[in-house]
Amino acid sequence: MSARPRDLRALAAIEDAGLALFLDWFGPGVQEGPLAGPAPDGRDRALVGRLLVAVTPTDDVVGFAHVVPGDPDDAGDSAHLEQLSVHPAAGRRGVGARLLAAVHEEARWDGVRHLTLCTFRDVPWNAPFYRRHGYAEVPEPQGALARRRDHERRIGLDDVGARVAMDRLLARA
């Protein structure tokens, strides 16, 4: 579902809890580094795009997905999954998969044909998860996706772990 203003309070706690998983995977050097970097264009990420949340039956926010417009040179038919996060306490229950399916559905309604993302190649809940959901690596990103990868390199994300750009063609329902 689309995020409500009151849902925004939960997002930082979800991100902080997820950071613990990355600390376990990569080690403590990532804590204050590039994993918390700004958006590539310097804009406040929360003010751009679409924000979806996953909530429990008791209305607690346990995950979110942030989708931003893609490359304007792509005739407006692309979007970029900036972030998908699920609180570890709600992990391994299909929340991320349902949230990703909701992202795909909303993107289709918005006229999006290609959904891109950048993620860690070898982290099990990153690229392998997206591969299982129909994403493929983009070996030589172009346009906005290439600029995103360049930004990630500049802020040091590639120093943390191998990164990949991915794309999924969204079939019309």
Side-chain angles (χ1 to χ4, degrees):
M1 74 190 252
S2 291
R4 304 162 293 190
R6 69 180 183 197
D7 296 334
L8 299 178
R9 287 175 266 172
L11 304 188
I14 292 169
E15 285 185 315
D16 289 347
L19 180 60
L21 296 175
F22 284 100
L23 289 172
D24 288 345
W25 186 264
F26 290 118
V30 300
Q31 188 162 6
E32 296 298 327
L35 290 181
D41 57 9
R43 292 181 291 176
D44 183 345
R45 292 181 301 173
L47 301 178
V48 177
R50 182 184 293 270
L51 186 63
L52 300 177
V53 292
V55 296
T56 66
T58 58
D59 215 30
D60 295 318
V61 177
V62 294
F64 70 92
H66 183 206
V67 180
V68 297
D71 193 336
D73 295 336
D74 292 337
D77 70 349
S78 69
H80 185 80
L81 180 58
E82 181 75 23
Q83 184 172 359
L84 188 147
S85 293
V86 174
H87 195 288
R92 313 233 8 112
R93 296 183 191 150
V95 173
R98 288 190 300 276
L99 196 50
L100 189 58
V103 164
H104 295 162
E105 182 65 16
E106 290 297 319
R108 283 186 199 101
W109 278 104
D110 289 344
V112 171
R113 291 185 39 83
H114 287 272
L115 191 62
T116 62
L117 59 89
C118 298
T119 192
F120 288 105
R121 184 187 67 209
D122 302 318
V123 176
W125 61 92
N126 279 201
F129 168 81
Y130 292 110
R131 274 189 210 96
R132 289 192 303 274
H133 292 277
Y135 287 81
E137 283 188 37
V138 178
E140 295 185 33
Q142 302 296 312
L145 192 54
R147 290 188 295 277
R148 288 178 188 285
R149 284 294 297 123
D150 288 344
H151 172 75
E152 290 183 348
R153 285 182 194 96
R154 281 193 309 276
I155 66 168
L157 275 175
D158 287 53
D159 297 333
V160 174
R163 300 281 294 172
V164 294
M166 302 182 88
D167 177 50
R168 177 179 166 167
L169 178 63
L170 299 176
R172 299 290 181 218

